[in-house]
């Protein structure tokens, strides 16, 4: 799976992207905002903000439900002047004369008590663009207190919302998946780690009930209760057109299967997680890894673009699917949604970093509220070292920056910890609550064993310095499939560093990233040559050898030889 990196060396691509981003910021900083609102009491509260120009405007109508939960909503108002909605989002708009009605979209229909949705629209006007002053939710006047007038103040409810804790891993035992545990324990030496918590992957519709005789979602949750676990880690992974930049984890749903994704995958998962029996379990949901970053890095005119990623960008089904999942799952008070932010060897370049954060923010907002997201995860199923102790991004060799080495290639980050902490700050800047926490998947980024450097490389050239000192022994940072030489990383651990909720093992060690040769299957999985040790690469790994182990089974299937190597090269070493 994971993470066709897709970066580019400095040059026209990066500079053009940076310039465009700066222009957008300048424009949004310059617009004036009109503000109005309804006032005082129960039921609902509305904050209306508009950005006007001479004949048009856009507006966001942030509705907070101060009453009981509703399972569908209609918000109405009258324009004071001559204003006409031309298009809307996060709801279905209609207008008759001055009267506007916006009804929920199907993914944001349920609005819990205290929950917020933010439909927005574009409109034309003539004369003055006065804001409406009275709103109704499902026929009842919104008389709640006015909201913030500063457009830079997030209008989302605070994170965590009532009932959620700041860090779901804190103070509780994490669920050990008995199926993974049995695989691990059956390997010689495997009992040393068989009691570690790992991610439970809901990677197809059949996984909800239990595919091919394996445990389904309820069975896992029941087992978690029986273990006295307080937190369960799920990976929600069946997006339409899944894994658009690679083939090894293509899934069962085609690019246009959004309705099936909603009704046959997300809705049934949400229904099970919402069962009162499980209300005291904190449920971490890692939502659709790889998807949104692929829209940033592997589309359009980028040398790393793929037709499949272009399709998913154009049809909107990654964004809509993720927004739907976040909204549905985020409505459950014991669910903690974490979104994927790739890893430093993917999004650590300037071209990719900010645009990814902004896309995540837009998608979360499209789910109804950014508060539907509890945090973010880096390095899922990837191999990026947690810390590179023997060089920093600011080092130079004979006046040449480490950033100019072949390995770093102008990236801003050398390792996952510095990347995760920096990305967290960028996400807060993008409007997420300052309480968000990061997870780092340390299942396979240990890089211990005999090949592990014990000190910095020689300061002869910048490449000798970086290559001699780096823990990450991959041939290229963009390699992602069954990497030869990898080891288990930090054992799962709560709140290990500032801004980090936990080190987690989301990719279960021993489960393959993809088959090293073509294997027919009914899981929708393709053969990605990045998993073939004889492959000489593509633009996403700068045409290097794949570095993959030979003899690998399909992604997700048990790969004993890899498991043994991961144990041998564990860092910290196993007893
Ligand atoms: C596969 C999934 C599997 C997961 C965890 C992914 O690459 O596509 O089927 O559950 O890895 O091993």
């Amino acid at each position: 799976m994971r993470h066709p990196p897709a970066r580019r060396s400095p040059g026209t691509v990066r500079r053009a992207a940076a310039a465009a981003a700066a222009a957008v910021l300048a424009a949004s900083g310059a617009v004036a905002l009109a503000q109005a609102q309804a006032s005082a009491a129960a039921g609902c509260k509305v904050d209306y903000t508009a950005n006007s120009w001479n004949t048009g405007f856009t507006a966001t109508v942030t509705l907070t439900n101060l009453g009981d939960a509703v399972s569908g909503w209609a918000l109405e108002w009258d324009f004071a002047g001559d204003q006409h909605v031309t298009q809307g989002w996060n709801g279905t708009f209609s207008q008759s004369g001055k009267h506007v009605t916006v009804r929920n979209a199907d993914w944001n229909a349920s609005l819990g008590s205290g929950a917020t949705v933010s439909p927005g629209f574009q409109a034309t006007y003539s004369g003055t663009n006065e804001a409406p002053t009275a709103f109704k939710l499902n026929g009842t006047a919104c008389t709640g207190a006015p909201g913030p007038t500063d457009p830079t103040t997030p209008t989302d409810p605070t994170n965590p919302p009532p009932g959620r804790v700041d860090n779901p891993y804190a103070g509780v035992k994490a669920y050990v998946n008995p199926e993974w545990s049995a695989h691990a324990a059956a390997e010689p030496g495997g009992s040393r780690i068989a009691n570690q918590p790992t991610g439970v992957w809901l990677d197809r519709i059949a996984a909800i009930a239990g595919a091919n005789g394996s445990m389904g979602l309820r069975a896992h949750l029941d087992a978690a209760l029986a273990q006295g676990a307080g937190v369960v880690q799920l990976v929600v992974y069946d997006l339409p057109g899944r894994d658009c930049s690679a083939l090894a984890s293509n899934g069962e749903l085609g690019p246009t299967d959004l309705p099936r994704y909603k009704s046959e995958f997300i809705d049934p998962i949400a229904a099970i997680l919402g069962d009162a029996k499980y209300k005291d379990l904190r449920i971490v949901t890692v939502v659709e890894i790889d998807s949104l970053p692929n829209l940033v890095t592997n589309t359009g005119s980028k040398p790393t673009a793929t037709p499949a990623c272009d399709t998913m960008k154009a049809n909107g089904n990654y964004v809509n699917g993720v927004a739907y999942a976040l909204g549905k799952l985020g409505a459950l008070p014991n669910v903690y949604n974490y979104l994927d932010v790739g890893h430093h060897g993917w999004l650590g370049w300037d071209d990719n970093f900010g645009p990814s954060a902004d896309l995540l923010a837009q998608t979360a907002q499209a789910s109804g509220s950014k508060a539907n997201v509890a945090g973010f995860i880096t390095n899922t199923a990837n191999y990026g070292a947690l810390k590179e102790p023997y060089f920093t991004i600011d080092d130079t060799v004979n006046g040449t920056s480490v950033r100019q080495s072949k390995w770093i290639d102008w990236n801003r980050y050398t390792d996952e910890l510095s990347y995760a902490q920096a990305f967290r700050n960028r996400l807060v800047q993008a409007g997420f609550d300052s309480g968000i926490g990061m997870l780092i998947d340390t299942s396979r980024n240990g890089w211990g064993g005999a090949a592990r450097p014990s000190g910095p490389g020689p300061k002869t050239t910048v490449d000798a310095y970086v290559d001699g000192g780096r823990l990450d022994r991959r041939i290229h940072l963009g390699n992602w499939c069954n990497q030869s030489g990898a080891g288990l990383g930090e054992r799962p651990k709560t709140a290990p560093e500032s801004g980090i909720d936990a080190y987690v093992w989301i990719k279960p060690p021993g489960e393959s990233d993809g088959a090293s040769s073509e294997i027919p299957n009914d899981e929708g999985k393709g053969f990605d040559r990045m998993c073939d040790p004889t492959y000489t690469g593509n633009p996403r790994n700068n045409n290097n050898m794949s570095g993959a182990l030979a003899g690998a089974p399909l992604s997700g299937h048990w790969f004993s030889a890899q498991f043994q190597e991961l144990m041998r090269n564990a860092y910290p070493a196993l007893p």
Side-chain angles (χ1 to χ4, degrees):
M1 72 244 56
R2 297 334 61 87
H3 317 152
R7 38 103 288 237
R8 263 335 330 151
S9 307
T12 48
V13 174
R14 170 173 300 121
R15 279 196 297 271
V24 168
L25 278 179
S28 61
V31 291
L33 282 124
Q35 172 77 30
Q37 65 286 310
S39 55
C44 46
K45 170 178 106 167
V46 168
D47 294 309
Y48 179 96
T49 57
N51 301 336
S52 315
W53 58 95
N54 12 348
T55 57
F57 66 105
T58 60
T60 303
V61 192
T62 303
L63 164 69
T64 306
N65 179 15
L66 300 175
D68 290 337
V70 294
S71 56
W73 50 267
L75 178 66
E76 297 166 82
W77 68 85
D78 286 324
F79 279 129
D82 179 34
Q83 291 119 324
H84 298 274
V85 174
T86 51
Q87 58 166 312
W89 48 89
N90 298 345
T92 308
F93 284 74
S94 56
Q95 182 170 359
S96 157
K98 292 178 183 301
H99 192 74
V100 178
T101 307
V102 45
R103 293 177 195 283
N104 61 268
D106 55 358
W107 52 264
N108 64 7
S110 53
L111 195 57
S113 191
T116 296
V117 279
S118 301
F121 62 92
Q122 183 163 349
T124 57
Y125 76 96
S126 64
T128 55
N129 183 20
E130 273 176 49
T133 52
F135 299 85
K136 283 182 179 176
L137 169 63
N138 293 349
T140 304
C142 292
T143 54
T149 52
D150 177 356
T152 61
T153 303
T155 50
D156 286 336
T158 50
N159 187 343
R164 284 198 185 111
V165 295
D166 176 49
N167 181 352
Y169 290 85
V172 292
K173 196 168 122 22
Y175 170 58
V176 177
N177 177 350
E179 293 181 324
W180 176 80
S181 185
H183 274 298
E187 293 280 342
S191 59
R192 292 173 298 173
I193 56 164
N195 62 349
Q196 293 292 350
T198 52
V200 171
W201 288 60
L202 299 172
D203 63 350
R204 68 200 86 166
I205 291 162
I208 301 170
N212 307 323
S214 57
M215 291 166 75
L217 180 54
R218 277 187 184 279
H220 281 295
L221 298 175
D222 291 340
L225 291 176
Q227 284 178 15
V231 62
V232 175
Q233 308 172 95
L234 305 178
V235 181
V236 174
Y237 189 51
D238 200 26
L239 206 55
R242 191 175 76 187
D243 208 11
C244 65
S245 68
L247 303 171
S249 280
N250 289 165
E252 63 190 349
L253 297 180
T256 60
D257 279 338
L258 187 63
R260 287 192 65 200
Y261 178 71
K262 293 178 178 179
S263 64
E264 296 177 45
F265 189 65
I266 296 299
D267 292 353
I269 292 173
I272 293 171
L273 300 186
D275 187 330
K277 196 174 159 189
Y278 307 125
K279 71 176 183 352
D280 294 330
L281 283 174
R282 299 172 190 167
I283 298 169
V284 164
T285 46
V286 172
V287 175
E288 300 297 352
I289 58 161
D290 290 349
S291 55
L292 299 173
N294 264 322
L295 299 185
V296 173
T297 65
N298 295 327
T299 53
S301 58
K302 307 232 157 111
T304 51
T306 68
C309 289
D310 281 332
T311 299
M312 297 320 298
K313 185 170 183 180
N315 71 17
N317 285 344
Y318 273 9
V319 169
N320 292 334
V322 171
Y324 185 79
L326 292 177
K328 264 277 172 179
L329 301 171
L332 303 168
N334 57 328
V335 170
Y336 297 77
N337 285 320
Y338 285 78
L339 281 175
D340 180 37
V341 293
H343 54 89
H344 84 279
W346 184 4
L347 304 182
W349 284 272
D350 295 352
D351 292 7
N352 302 345
F353 193 79
S356 297
D358 293 336
L359 178 62
L360 291 160
Q362 284 157 22
T363 306
Q365 194 60 49
S367 80
S369 166
K370 291 193 191 80
N372 283 326
V373 178
F376 298 82
I377 182 163
T378 80
N379 206 43
T380 304
N382 206 268
Y383 295 86
L386 183 64
K387 300 177 187 173
E388 286 288 2
Y390 301 130
F391 58 90
T392 77
I393 202 72
D394 298 320
D395 291 353
T396 58
V397 174
N398 307 326
T400 307
S401 163
V402 150
R403 293 188 66 215
Q404 288 170 263
S405 66
K406 263 169 104 175
W407 174 254
I408 300 289
D409 191 20
W410 295 101
N411 201 307
R412 290 257 171 223
Y413 305 94
T414 57
D415 57 29
E416 286 303 307
L417 182 58
S418 61
Y419 169 76
Q421 289 172 328
F423 214 116
R424 202 189 88 81
N425 292 338
R426 182 61 180 77
L427 289 159
V428 171
Q429 230 181 63
F432 286 100
D433 188 88
S434 59
I436 52 169
M438 308 298 285
L439 304 177
I440 302 178
D441 186 350
T442 57
S443 55
R444 308 181 303 178
N445 68 350
W447 298 106
R452 184 183 176 92
S454 55
K459 284 208 155 187
T460 44
T461 65
V462 78
D463 284 327
Y465 177 63
V466 170
D467 288 338
R470 64 178 159 95
L471 302 184
D472 185 337
R473 306 311 301 164
R474 279 178 289 182
I475 296 169
H476 187 269
L477 199 49
N479 287 350
W480 53 267
C481 195
N482 299 324
Q483 289 301 285
S484 166
L488 301 167
E490 288 280 344
R491 309 304 105 82
K493 192 171 173 187
T494 300
E497 297 273 356
S498 156
I500 312 296
D501 280 350
Y503 295 151
V504 291
W505 283 9
I506 291 299
K507 175 73 184 183
E511 293 186 9
S512 170
D513 295 322
S516 37
S517 57
E518 178 107 49
I519 299 178
N521 66 89
D522 61 4
E523 299 175 28
K525 288 169 180 164
F527 168 44
D528 196 300
R529 293 219 49 214
M530 287 295 285
C531 303
D532 171 354
T534 67
Y535 184 49
T536 53
N538 60 43
R540 289 181 291 285
N541 78 338
N542 215 10
N543 298 297
N544 279 280
M545 296 297 289
S546 72
L549 294 171
L554 284 177
S555 66
H557 292 225
W558 193 254
F559 187 12
S560 168
Q562 185 188 33
F563 187 77
Q564 289 297 335
E565 183 177 80
L566 290 170
M567 288 197 297
R568 268 198 311 280
N569 292 339
Y571 196 93
L574 294 176

